[in-house]
Amino acid sequence: MRPFTDSEPVFELRTDPTSGRKVLIAEGRAARPNDFVSATSILAPSHQPADCPFCRGNESQTPHELACARDSHGNWQVRVVPNKYPVVGPDAPEVGVCENPLAIAETPLGVHEVIIESPLHVRDWLDLSVEQVAEVLGMFVGRLEFALEQPRIESALIFKNVGQGAGASLEHVHSQLVGLPFVPTLLEAELAIASRHRAMQGSCLFCDLLREELRHRQRLVCENEDFVAFCAFAGRQPYETWVLPRRHSPLFTGVSRQEIGSLASVLQQVLHRLSEIVSPLAYNLVLHTAPPRDERSEAFHWHWELIPRTASLAGLEWGTGVFINSVSPERAANILQGIKT
Ligand SMILES: [Zn+2]
Ligand SMILES: [Zn+2]
Ligand SMILES: [Zn+2]
């Protein structure tokens, strides 16, 4: 922890001394534009799509481009830029050692990128073609490879926040990639359980889970030759849906070209079904992929978790980490299966 001065925004990775919980303190983010806040908000005034920084023609409003995919006319279709309001950064200012042993803070080293998924001002993958979503997924592979090659990055995740209830600040279709100098708690828990399962059973926990879901079929949402989507047995929110590749593979970067097309199609199908039930649909979509330098990574099996945000987190969740789900995953799957696509 550096000595506090009120003129400088605090940018640190802190560890809570009582729980071990990691928290990124990123005061620079308070200045973010927001499409959803009202004019009376204490944050920036409402952001008009007319000057949306992600739209074609407004490229100068974003930081320098890191990568892009172009069509045959040379126009960009998917564009990657550093997050203007990062939670971690490659050049984060060094956080010195503090004399207080219960105030452990580190330099928040990492990468935080934004993947702008269309030059047009559309909101969701449902507004894109399957080919466009596949192009976006292909870009994820390239950016993950780059992030995970960085020497001090231990894990990386890709996520989408869609809709106000899911924490989105800009509505223009986009995702984020965050590379972290540690393995976050949820991924660590999944890795530990998958690694124990492999040691005891000699098989992959996720492959076994997939086999059982396909045998019982009561939580299946949809499937194709490469992927299966099902409502999670202990989903945290109504309609929480996971998408798993049939082929065992620890790292998303090992996905094949054909699998990318199949994945785009399954994800769009799931979103289509959800949007028929939850309106407007706000959701978080998160990629879990193995930390490549971790010796347990072979036991892991990459997957996407899609969490529609129909309920807000309240006292029980904040106080215990235990979630309340008001729609059983079996009922949710039954309803989702019944929707025509
Ligand atoms: Zn836009
Ligand atoms: Zn597996
Ligand atoms: Zn997971």
Side-chain angles (χ1 to χ4, degrees), residues 6-7 36 51 75 126 138 145 166 292 329:
D6 72 355
S7 58
F36 301 104
D51 44 73
N75 298 315
L126 284 175
E145 277 170 351

Side-chain angles (χ1 to χ4, degrees), residues 14-23 102 104 185 318-319:
R14 294 190 179 181
T15 304
D16 177 70
T18 68
S19 63
R21 185 170 54 224
K22 303 275 193 197
V23 175
L102 298 179
I104 298 168
T185 317
W318 283 107

Side-chain angles (χ1 to χ4, degrees), residues 198 203-208 210 244-250 298-302:
R198 190 169 143 110
S203 56
C204 163
L205 169 64
F206 292 91
C207 287
D208 290 354
L210 204 53
L244 263 68
R246 291 181 192 266
R247 180 171 71 84
H248 177 79
S249 176
E298 193 43 49
F300 200 70
H301 186 129
W302 67 265

